[in-house]
């Protein structure tokens, strides 16, 4: 007898909020819109807490089905069922918890925006799909949520519809993700063809029952899933949409493009780890993509001047860490970093939003400075986040990042321990870079001379000001979490219990042994040493930022001039966007024009409406038109197609 | 068990014909000034009766009538219901379209009804000459309907082009039928199947098959027989485009299914590669053509070419599931495409005021409900989950994968990724562009009939996307009439005679 957790209700709560605000919100007063949005997202969080409270008494994995079958096709069926296990629970807590905080924050942040109701409707829609994604018990439902969050993200990125760049960024995010979805869908079709089911439990059970099943089709499926994950989680080669996605409102960047949606790819890899455990190749690819993305994005982040873009590249880089962890089968470390990252990166964005809000919309780091005293709460909470992301003890990032680096240090990637060490080295350097660009941002925003235009910030007549309590409360909560959030994963080497990893043991426990990554003998002493080393590197990054952006503010400019080629390379993000434009987008458009070549697609004769204003001249005009060659050329094409078909048929009938 | 009266097997067709004739006869009796709405409503009632009659046919034992020319079974009922549904919605959304612009609208309703009669006949015919009759009845009506904006030159041009090229293509079909008769001595699909299986005169039969595929390929606007589509869709009145881009295609696909799966099942080694190539060409040309299109109707025309391609993918699978997938996809496509054109017809009106994409900028502000409906149709065309389009594609590609057509599936998926681009551009125009109040065009408020029609379509798109199982089972029942031993791969069943030979 299993307890009923009413999981069906969980996604429906935000959906109700969406339907209410989406249909009626336009005519309702702001307070009502706000309270509905907060009520439903809060209720979802409350239900998750209720589930968490009863979690220990559940038999795992806990599956609840609502429509069996949802879809029945000869040979296989898909049920509408939700799955609850430790991994799901952690994701649920992050999604609804951080989601609720950001809803709260948005009340203040979006207060002056036109289309207030629309914003909250979309935000609730996002929660609906994200919860579906996390709760899904099969690949199809996972994909439903996956596409849905992409849709919500598209709508929210393009929220400021008066800006062309916003609409373009929304489209770009959607299109780039379609490439990833292509891989995901192909993987789903392969799974159907090979396992005859899409249910996680059945597929993983089938794989577990065949210990000899290794590589081959599993590798293909895993690699296709990786393609999907690189789209949603903004990894090489599909990361290009995320920095542009910063066109959306800042709370959206915090919730969707930092804390939750972009981690869906990591969640998916972790959820389907059984497939990856059987394919060293796929794991190796994940690890290499992760490490490469981590350092690549970090280098770009160094020179960006838009505060949100720096954070965006930082997100790409941190997601790279999580990918790297997945690639060495350290799934629990990946999820751990996902959680702590959700805390401190959401906080960074929200704090950045508070800064932007205070300055009346200014996003350029060069036009900030000296804000420490003006907005103290924002300053102190952001400081906590900066220390957390840089990995200073005892902030949250320290524990999760070191768990990853330690796992990579001991792992063999693609059967090579040296490659593992190399990736670890990359991770370490990235940690230094991270620390450098984060402290650069910190100094440029809060220290030095005030470079902003006081009059520009003068909105509402009170100059640069601290935000309202609905905005500060989430900052404070997340600030505290950025400090203590990592303690749940205090490693045993440092005298803790590593309870986070143990909590996830039912999900990943078996894979630690089965995974094809040989753990070389790891000692507690080694772990302590590595942790110390990465702290040292982070300190180095801080020191460098301190020298360049605090003590000698003129120095960076001179350095940029000296190595202008390198600076330009980083500033233009390695010209990747331009490269993609030249090798993919432009050829496609060119081919499209060939298809529409006038010989084939002659179109309707131009200016026809004028010539035919009166009905009397109608017939003659039609005859004239017929002689224009249109119809004859069309008939010619038809005849040619027919000839081709007949020749082809003739050939087939004769030769086969 | 007593034999079912033959008339009952074509009851829907009889009802529609009677309604059409009555509308036609009443039309001249009304004065020119009188509104033709009552005639439209009468046509609606007739359509409802025909739909009910089709549904009732499900309870008849499957069987033939009129000397083996007509066969009613779950398959024909599925398509009857589909065509009836399309007709119903088209009547609803065009009830006010001609108001104040054109007299003698009664003819319009009658032509729609006659055209549907032809299509329904096509789906239940198992005799190629009967198919041809149905094809002609429906085509000639549609040619006229395409030119129904009588004062517009583009409309007349569309009509003429459609007529001339359509006749050209029909000739191919007829020639194919003649060759078929020459090879097997029969034009009945079941006799042809026996003739084909016997293996005599394979070359003649192959040519016959090719000819018929050319004719039907034109009707479903599959590449390389698609060239007429953009021009005709651009010129024809929007509600008519909604109708003629879905219903005749559904009928032609039904015929294609009967001919390939039943008639030429043992010659699948010829038509599978052929349809494979046509599917790839249609998807690719359609999507690439739509990519840089600025005219909304032409864009959707290219999109419909692409969708014909997806449908052909299902054919190529050649299995019971492939057949069911094709049926399901036809229904899904009909719901979203009729919807898209209905919204366009409402927003741009009789004189096509909104032709280009930029004319739709920011309309979500001015027309929130129409835009929301359009958004749902566009999302479905993209293939976003919880809409008909997603599930239709999912089903089609799953069955194709099952038949080992992974290259085709890969191409199809790449194509549907590409397609998102232009649908999204439309969506972005509606929602993410500022509204230009200077270009304000005052539309007549939406009439209840129109709203009802759109509501039906939106509901259909969502139902097919969220709880598809009911329609799915009907489609599978239809498929089962072809593959009685459901679950087994069709190819195995049909290659049996080959092995014995």
């Amino acid at each position: 007898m299993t307890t009923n957790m009413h999981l069906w209700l969980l996604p429906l709560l935000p959906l109700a909020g969406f339907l209410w605000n989406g249909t009626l919100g336009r005519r309702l007063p702001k307070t009502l819109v706000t309270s509905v949005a907060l009520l439903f997202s809060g209720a979802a969080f409350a239900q998750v807490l209720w589930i968490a409270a009863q979690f220990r008494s559940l038999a795992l994995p806990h599956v609840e089905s609502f429509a069996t079958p949802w879809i029945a096709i000869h040979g296989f069926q898909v049920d509408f069922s939700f799955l609850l296990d430790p991994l799901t629970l952690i994701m649920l807590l992050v999604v609804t918890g951080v989601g609720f905080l950001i809803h709260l924050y948005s009340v203040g942040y979006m207060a002056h925006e036109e289309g207030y109701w629309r914003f909250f409707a979309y935000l609730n829609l996002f929660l609906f799909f994200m919860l579906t994604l996390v709760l899904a018990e099969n690949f199809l439902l996972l994909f439903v949520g996956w596409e849905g969050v992409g849709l919500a993200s598209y709508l929210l990125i393009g929220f400021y519809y008066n800006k062309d760049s916003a609409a373009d960024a929304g489209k770009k995010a959607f299109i780039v993700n379609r490439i990833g979805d292509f891989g995901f869908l192909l993987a789903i079709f392969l799974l159907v063809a090979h396992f005859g089911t899409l249910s996680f439990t059945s597929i993983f059970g089938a794989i577990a029952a065949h210990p000899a099943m290794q590589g081959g089709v599993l590798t293909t499926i895993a690699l296709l899933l990786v393609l999907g994950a690189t789209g949603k989680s903004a990894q090489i080669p599909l990361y290009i949409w995320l920095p542009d996605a910063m066109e959306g409102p800042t709370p959206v960047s915090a919730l969707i493009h930092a804390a939750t949606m972009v981690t869906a790819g990591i969640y998916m890899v972790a959820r389907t780890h059984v497939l990856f455990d059987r394919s060293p190749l796929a794991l190796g690819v994940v690890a290499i993509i992760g490490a490469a993305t981590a350092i690549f994005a970090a280098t770009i982040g160094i020179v960006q001047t838009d505060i949100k873009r720096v954070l965006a590249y930082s997100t790409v880089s941190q997601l790279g860490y999580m990918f790297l962890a997945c690639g060495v089968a350290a799934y629990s470390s990946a999820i751990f970093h996902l959680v702590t990252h959700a805390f401190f990166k959401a906080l960074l964005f929200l704090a950045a939003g508070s800064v932007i809000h205070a300055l009346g919309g200014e996003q350029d780091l060069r036009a900030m400075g000296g804000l420490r005293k003006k907005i103290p709460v924002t300053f102190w909470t952001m400081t906590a986040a900066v220390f957390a992301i840089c990995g200073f003890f005892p902030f949250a990032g320290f524990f999760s990042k070191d768990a990853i680096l330690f796992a990579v240090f001991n792992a063999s990637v693609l059967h090579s321990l040296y490659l593992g060490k190399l990736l670890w080295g990359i991770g370490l350097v990235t940690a230094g870079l991270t620390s450098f660009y984060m402290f650069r941002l910190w100094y440029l925003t809060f220290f030095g001379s005030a470079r902003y235009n006081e009059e520009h910030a003068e909105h509402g007549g009170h100059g640069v000001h601290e935000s309202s309590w609905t905005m500060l409360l989430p900052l404070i909560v997340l600030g505290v979490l950025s400090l203590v959030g990592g303690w749940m994963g205090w490693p045993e080497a440092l005298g803790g219990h590593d309870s986070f990893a143990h909590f996830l043991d039912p999900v990943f426990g078996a894979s630690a042994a089965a995974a094809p990554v040989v753990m070389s003998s790891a000692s507690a002493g080694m772990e302590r040493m590595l942790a110390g080393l990465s702290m040292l590197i982070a300190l180095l990054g801080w020191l460098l930022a301190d020298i360049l952006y605090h003590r000698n503010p003129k120095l960076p400019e001179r350095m940029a001039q000296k190595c202008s080629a390198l600076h330009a390379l980083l500033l233009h993000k390695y010209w990747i966007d331009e490269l993609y434009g030249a090798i993919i987008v432009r050829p496609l458009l060119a081919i499209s024009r060939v298809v529409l070549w006038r010989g084939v697609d002659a179109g309707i004769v131009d200016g026809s409406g004028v010539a035919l204003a009166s009905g009397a001249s109608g017939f003659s005009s039609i005859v004239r038109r017929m002689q224009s060659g249109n119809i004859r050329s069309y008939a010619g094409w038809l005849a040619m197609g027919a000839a081709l078909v007949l020749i082809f048929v003739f050939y087939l009938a004769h030769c086969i | 068990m007593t034999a079912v009266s033959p008339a009952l097997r074509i009851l829907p067709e009889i009802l529609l014909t009677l309604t059409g004739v009555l509308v036609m006869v009443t039309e001249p009796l009304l004065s020119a000034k009188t509104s033709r709405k009552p005639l439209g409503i009468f046509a609606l009632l007739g359509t409802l009766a025909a739909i009910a009659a089709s549904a009732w046919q499900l309870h008849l034992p499957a069987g033939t009538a009129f000397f083996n020319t007509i066969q009613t079974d779950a398959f024909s009922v599925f398509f009857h219901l589909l065509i009836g549904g399309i007709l119903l919605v088209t009547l609803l959304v065009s009830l006010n379209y001609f108001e104040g612009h054109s007299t003698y609208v009664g003819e319009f309703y009658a032509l729609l009804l006659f055209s549907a009669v032809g299509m329904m006949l096509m789906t239940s015919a198992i005799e190629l000459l009967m198919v041809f009759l149905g094809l002609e009845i429906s085509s000639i009506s549609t040619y006229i309907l395409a030119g129904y904006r009588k004062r517009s030159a583009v409309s007349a041009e569309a009509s003429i082009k459609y007529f001339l090229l359509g006749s050209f293509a029909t000739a191919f079909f007829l020639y194919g039928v003649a060759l078929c008769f020459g090879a097997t001595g029969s034009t009945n699909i079941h006799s042809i199947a026996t003739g084909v299986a016997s293996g005599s005169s394979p070359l003649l039969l192959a040519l016959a098959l090719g000819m018929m595929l050319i004719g039907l390929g034109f009707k479903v606007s599959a590449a390389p027989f698609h060239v007429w589509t953009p021009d005709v869709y651009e010129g024809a009145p929007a509600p008519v485009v909604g109708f003629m881009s879905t219903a005749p295609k559904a009928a032609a696909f039904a015929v294609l299914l009967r001919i390939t799966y039943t008639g030429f099942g043992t010659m699948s080694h010829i038509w599978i590669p052929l349809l494979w190539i046509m599917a790839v060409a249609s998807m690719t040309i359609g999507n690439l053509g739509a990519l840089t299109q600025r005219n909304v109707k032409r864009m959707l025309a290219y999109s419909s070419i692409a969708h014909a391609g997806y449908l052909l993918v299902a054919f190529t699978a050649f299995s019971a599931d492939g057949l069911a997938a094709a049926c399901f996809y036809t229904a899904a496509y009909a719901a979203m495409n009729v919807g898209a054109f209905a919204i366009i017809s409402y927003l741009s009106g009789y004189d096509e005021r909104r032709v280009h994409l930029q004319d739709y900028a920011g309309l979500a502000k001015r027309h929130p409900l129409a835009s929301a409906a359009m958004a749902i149709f566009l999302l479905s065309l993209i293939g976003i989950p919880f809409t008909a389009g997603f599930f239709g594609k999912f089903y089609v590609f799953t069955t194709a994968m099952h038949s080992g057509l992974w290259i085709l599936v890969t191409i199809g998926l790449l194509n549907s990724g590409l397609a998102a681009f232009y649908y999204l551009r439309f969506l972005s125009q509606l929602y993410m562009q500022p509204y230009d109040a200077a270009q304000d065009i005052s539309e007549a408020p939406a009439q209840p009939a129109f709203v009802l029609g759109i509501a039906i379509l939106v509901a259909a798109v969502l139902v097919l996307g969220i709880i598809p199982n009911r329609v799915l089972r009907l489609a599978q029942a239809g498929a089962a009439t072809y593959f009685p031993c459901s679950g087994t791969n069709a190819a195995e069943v049909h290659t049996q005679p080959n092995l014995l030979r």
Side-chain angles (χ1 to χ4, degrees):
Chain A
M1 176 70 200
T2 48
T3 345
N4 190 347
M5 290 282 115
H6 300 288
L7 293 179
W8 56 272
L9 185 64
L10 199 43
L12 285 192
L13 286 168
L15 183 68
F18 161 70
L19 290 176
W20 172 272
N21 275 340
T23 50
L24 304 172
R26 175 192 296 266
R27 292 180 198 87
L28 296 177
K30 263 186 188 175
T31 43
L32 194 55
V33 171
T34 311
S35 31
V36 165
L38 283 181
L39 177 72
F40 282 109
S41 56
F45 184 44
Q47 194 191 348
V48 172
L49 289 178
W50 178 72
I51 292 171
Q54 287 174 293
F55 192 70
R56 279 185 190 287
S57 63
L58 288 180
L60 296 177
H62 176 79
V63 177
E64 287 183 15
S65 302
F66 315 104
T68 46
W70 178 32
I71 294 154
I73 303 176
H74 290 150
F76 95 109
Q77 73 171 54
V78 182
D79 295 343
F80 204 111
S81 18
F82 285 156
L83 166 74
L84 185 65
D85 67 358
L87 177 57
T88 310
L89 184 66
I90 287 171
M91 292 301 289
L92 286 178
L93 282 166
V94 171
V95 170
T96 55
V98 177
F100 176 67
L101 284 176
I102 290 174
H103 269 76
L104 190 62
Y105 176 91
S106 309
V107 174
Y109 190 83
M110 301 299 288
H112 310 298
E113 300 293 343
E114 187 196 354
Y116 188 78
W117 60 277
R118 210 159 44 95
F119 177 82
F120 280 101
Y122 292 164
L123 217 52
N124 275 359
L125 180 70
F126 167 76
L127 275 186
F128 163 67
F129 280 119
M130 192 69 205
L131 289 173
T132 311
L133 189 160
V134 169
L135 283 167
E137 198 277 327
N138 56 59
F139 280 93
L140 187 61
L141 215 46
L142 177 67
F143 186 76
V144 167
W146 185 271
E147 285 286 272
V149 291
L151 176 67
S153 149
Y154 159 76
L155 289 170
L156 283 163
I157 294 171
F159 180 76
Y160 295 123
Y161 55 80
N162 283 324
K163 283 199 296 185
D164 273 345
S165 56
D168 288 345
K171 268 190 279 185
K172 183 174 177 184
F174 198 90
I175 303 289
V176 171
N177 268 299
R178 291 298 286 187
I179 303 171
D181 296 344
F182 157 74
F184 195 165
L185 270 175
L186 210 52
I188 288 180
F189 293 134
L190 275 175
L191 284 165
V192 173
H194 281 270
F195 294 96
T197 172
L198 285 176
S199 148
F200 290 144
T201 24
S202 318
I203 291 178
F204 300 155
I207 294 175
H210 297 87
M213 208 182 210
Q214 196 87 25
V217 71
L218 292 185
T219 300
T220 316
I221 293 172
L223 286 176
L224 287 168
L225 289 176
V226 171
L227 180 60
T230 57
K232 194 106 315 184
S233 289
Q235 298 293 294
I236 291 173
L238 299 179
Y239 70 94
I240 48 166
W241 64 271
L242 187 58
D244 288 23
M246 297 300 129
E247 294 286 345
T250 306
V252 171
S253 310
L255 177 61
I256 301 185
H257 305 120
T260 53
M261 183 190 83
V262 288
T263 60
I266 284 95
Y267 168 76
M268 186 248 268
V269 174
R271 171 59 76 202
T272 61
H273 68 93
V274 178
L275 289 163
F276 285 86
D277 288 341
R278 292 295 176 86
S279 169
L281 177 64
L283 274 180
V285 169
V286 171
I288 291 168
I289 288 180
T293 311
I295 193 162
F296 183 78
T299 54
I300 300 177
I302 289 174
V303 297
Q304 296 302 311
T305 51
D306 181 317
I307 186 168
K308 284 182 71 184
R309 289 213 171 223
V310 175
L311 293 179
Y313 280 106
S314 153
T315 306
V316 175
S317 172
Q318 297 296 312
L319 290 168
Y321 269 120
M322 299 175 210
F323 241 61
L324 178 58
C326 286
V328 296
Y331 306 109
S332 64
S333 306
I335 298 297
F336 187 26
H337 198 55
L338 187 159
V339 174
T340 59
H341 177 256
F343 296 154
F344 61 68
K345 189 49 70 61
L347 174 53
L348 281 169
F349 269 112
L350 295 186
S354 178
V355 170
I356 295 166
H357 195 70
L359 293 178
E362 184 59 63
Q363 297 198 14
D364 195 329
L365 284 170
R366 290 167 298 190
M368 293 180 181
L371 289 171
R372 192 175 57 223
K373 293 274 162 53
K374 300 244 181 184
I375 41 174
V377 182
T378 308
F379 169 70
W380 282 111
T381 49
M382 190 149 185
T383 304
V386 168
F387 275 78
I389 190 175
C390 295
F392 285 105
F393 182 84
F395 287 87
F398 169 80
F399 299 99
S400 55
K401 192 180 284 185
D402 279 311
I404 292 176
L405 287 177
F406 182 61
V408 179
F409 186 78
N410 292 312
S412 83
V413 176
L414 297 176
H415 303 298
S416 156
L417 273 171
Y418 293 108
L419 194 53
K421 294 283 185 295
L422 176 70
L423 295 185
W424 169 79
I426 293 176
L428 199 64
V429 173
T430 307
L433 290 172
T434 308
S435 167
F436 175 71
Y437 68 67
M438 282 319 301
F439 278 105
R440 168 179 176 264
L441 181 147
W442 191 61
Y443 281 124
L444 285 176
T445 311
F446 295 110
F447 292 82
S449 55
R451 298 178 299 276
Y452 52 87
N453 184 349
E454 185 78 40
E455 276 158 39
H456 182 66
E458 194 85 24
H459 67 111
H462 39 257
V464 176
H465 60 287
E466 189 60 281
S467 309
S468 62
W469 70 268
T470 50
M471 286 170 70
L472 294 181
L473 187 66
L475 288 184
I476 293 166
V477 173
L478 287 170
V480 172
L481 285 172
S482 294
L483 175 61
V484 306
W487 297 355
M488 54 190 170
W490 202 298
E492 275 151 13
L494 298 179
H497 299 286
D498 205 2
S499 35
F500 188 87
H502 290 308
F503 180 65
L504 281 171
D505 269 345
V507 188
F508 302 127
S511 94
V517 270
V518 188
M519 298 287 176
S520 62
S521 53
S523 69
M526 181 69 94
E527 189 168 353
R528 278 194 290 271
M529 209 183 81
L530 291 178
L533 190 60
S534 67
M535 279 271 283
L536 209 64
I537 294 277
L539 268 173
L540 207 65
W542 183 4
L543 199 67
L544 206 60
D546 184 52
I547 294 171
L548 286 174
Y549 292 96
H550 191 214
R551 292 176 202 200
N552 307 302
K554 293 272 178 283
L555 197 56
E557 219 166 290
R558 263 183 285 146
M559 282 175 67
Q561 274 164 1
K562 242 181 203 161
C563 4
S564 59
L566 182 67
H567 186 251
L569 183 69
L570 293 180
L571 197 63
H572 292 97
K573 307 156 239 167
Y574 298 91
W575 280 286
I576 295 293
D577 277 311
E578 287 79 1
L579 184 73
Y580 282 177
I583 61 172
I584 299 170
V585 180
R586 243 175 280 159
L588 270 179
L589 293 181
I591 299 170
S592 168
R593 280 185 209 105
V594 171
V595 172
L596 298 181
W597 172 53
R598 288 197 76 80
V600 189
D601 181 351
I604 294 222
V605 179
D606 294 358
S608 51
V610 186
L612 241 178
S614 67
S617 64
F619 189 72
S620 68
S621 156
I622 289 165
V623 174
R624 209 170 47 238
R625 216 175 286 273
M626 276 168 61
Q627 290 168 339
S628 72
N630 270 345
I631 293 183
R632 247 182 297 159
S633 82
Y634 284 180
W637 286 109
L638 270 184
M640 204 187 78
L644 282 176
V645 165
L646 291 178
I647 292 169
F648 186 68
V649 164
F650 188 81
Y651 163 80
L652 281 177
H654 243 280
C655 307
I656 299 170
Chain B
M1 173 100 208
T2 50
V4 181
S5 159
L8 289 181
R9 300 236 179 243
I10 55 163
L11 190 59
E13 285 90 341
I14 293 176
L15 286 170
L16 284 183
T17 313
L18 281 179
T19 318
V21 169
L22 275 174
V23 168
M24 209 70 172
V25 169
T26 323
E27 163 70 53
L29 300 179
L30 298 173
S31 77
K33 292 273 185 282
T34 320
S35 166
R36 259 56 174 177
K37 248 193 212 171
L39 289 181
I41 291 164
F42 182 64
L44 267 174
L45 293 176
T47 309
L48 278 176
I51 290 175
S54 309
W56 173 79
Q57 278 183 337
L58 258 188
H59 304 291
L60 287 181
T64 59
F66 296 108
F67 311 102
N68 275 338
T69 55
I70 294 289
Q71 179 175 329
T72 46
D73 46 30
F75 178 79
S76 76
V77 170
F78 181 89
F79 278 96
H80 272 63
L81 289 176
L82 178 58
I83 292 166
I86 297 172
L87 177 64
L88 181 78
V89 178
T90 308
L91 283 169
L92 279 174
V93 299
S94 57
L95 210 52
N96 292 292
Y97 185 74
F98 292 99
E99 219 47 11
H101 287 286
S102 181
T103 45
Y104 315 118
V105 184
E107 290 164 7
F108 176 81
Y109 302 127
L111 285 168
L112 274 178
L113 294 169
F114 292 145
S115 169
V117 170
M119 294 163 197
M120 287 182 173
L121 272 182
M122 283 165 78
T123 63
S124 52
I126 47 163
E127 156 70 46
L128 290 178
L129 281 178
M130 186 55 90
V131 169
F132 180 74
L133 276 182
L135 188 66
E136 283 300 87
I137 295 173
S138 74
S139 297
I140 291 172
S141 316
T142 343
Y143 299 150
I144 307 173
L145 285 172
Y148 215 81
R149 285 191 304 140
K150 290 175 191 165
R151 307 235 157 180
S152 154
V154 265
S155 195
E157 180 177 344
S159 178
I160 290 283
K161 269 186 186 163
Y162 193 25
F163 168 61
L164 287 175
L165 296 171
S167 319
F168 189 33
T170 316
F172 275 103
F173 183 80
L174 194 57
Y175 197 27
V177 174
L179 288 182
C180 227
F181 184 74
T184 62
S186 168
T187 49
N188 181 292
I189 287 183
H190 295 294
S191 320
I192 292 172
T194 332
V196 172
S198 75
S200 59
S201 51
L203 191 58
L204 203 55
L205 278 171
L207 286 179
L209 178 65
M211 294 275 187
M212 288 192 282
L213 288 186
I214 293 166
L216 293 172
F218 176 90
K219 286 290 160 201
V220 301
S221 60
F225 311 109
H226 66 281
V227 278
W228 57 277
T229 323
D231 284 11
V232 175
Y233 284 16
E234 184 184 347
V240 173
V241 182
F243 180 73
M244 69 188 231
S245 65
T246 51
K249 283 193 187 182
F253 272 119
V255 172
L256 201 58
L257 279 170
R258 292 239 196 235
I259 291 180
T260 51
Y261 279 44
T262 311
F264 288 82
T266 45
M267 278 175 80
S268 60
H269 63 286
I270 291 192
W271 58 260
I272 286 185
L274 189 62
L275 291 185
W276 196 99
I277 293 173
M278 279 167 77
V280 170
S282 304
M283 291 189 291
T284 315
I285 290 179
N287 284 323
L288 283 174
L291 211 53
T292 47
Q293 240 349 303
R294 294 278 156 190
N295 181 310
V296 171
K297 280 165 90 186
R298 290 183 84 84
M299 185 191 92
L300 286 174
Y302 276 103
S303 125
S304 86
I305 297 169
H307 282 277
Y310 300 133
L311 257 163
L312 287 175
V313 171
F315 275 76
T316 319
F318 193 31
S319 62
D321 263 334
L323 208 159
C327 296
F328 186 90
Y329 198 86
T330 324
Y333 169 72
M336 57 206 188
N337 219 43
V338 174
F341 277 106
I343 297 287
I344 288 175
S345 81
Y346 167 66
L347 289 177
S348 56
Y350 177 79
D351 26 77
E352 312 259 299
R353 285 158 305 200
R354 294 202 170 94
V355 178
H356 291 286
L357 266 179
Q358 62 263 31
D359 300 336
Y360 289 81
L363 277 191
K365 257 189 127 70
R366 179 86 172 66
H367 297 284
L369 284 179
S371 300
M374 190 70 190
I376 289 174
F377 299 136
L378 285 172
L379 290 175
S380 178
L381 285 163
I382 296 176
I384 296 291
F386 286 150
T387 61
F390 168 73
F391 192 67
K393 264 192 206 130
F394 176 78
Y395 194 17
V396 165
F397 289 138
T398 310
T399 52
M401 202 70 175
H402 232 96
S403 300
L405 302 164
W406 62 273
I407 297 179
L408 194 57
V409 171
T410 310
I411 297 173
L413 282 178
L414 280 174
N415 260 298
S416 69
L418 188 64
F421 188 78
Y422 56 87
Y423 295 125
L424 208 61
R425 201 165 51 195
F426 199 162
L427 200 60
S428 295
Q429 280 293 328
L430 287 173
Y431 277 89
M432 293 179 187
Q433 293 292 325
Y435 179 65
D436 184 4
Q439 294 207 333
D440 209 358
I441 307 169
S442 59
E443 288 86 3
Q447 299 295 318
F450 179 82
V451 176
L452 178 65
I454 295 295
I456 293 174
L457 290 167
V458 168
V461 166
L462 293 180
V463 165
L464 290 179
I466 299 171
I467 33 173
N469 230 6
R470 249 197 125 82
V471 181
L472 206 57
R473 248 178 283 153
L474 192 59
Q476 280 160 351
T481 54
Y482 285 81
F483 301 103
C485 32
S486 65
T488 27
N489 196 324
E492 293 161 15
V493 181
H494 279 266
T495 46
Q496 215 62 38
N498 260 344
L499 296 172
L500 296 173
R501 195 169 70 209

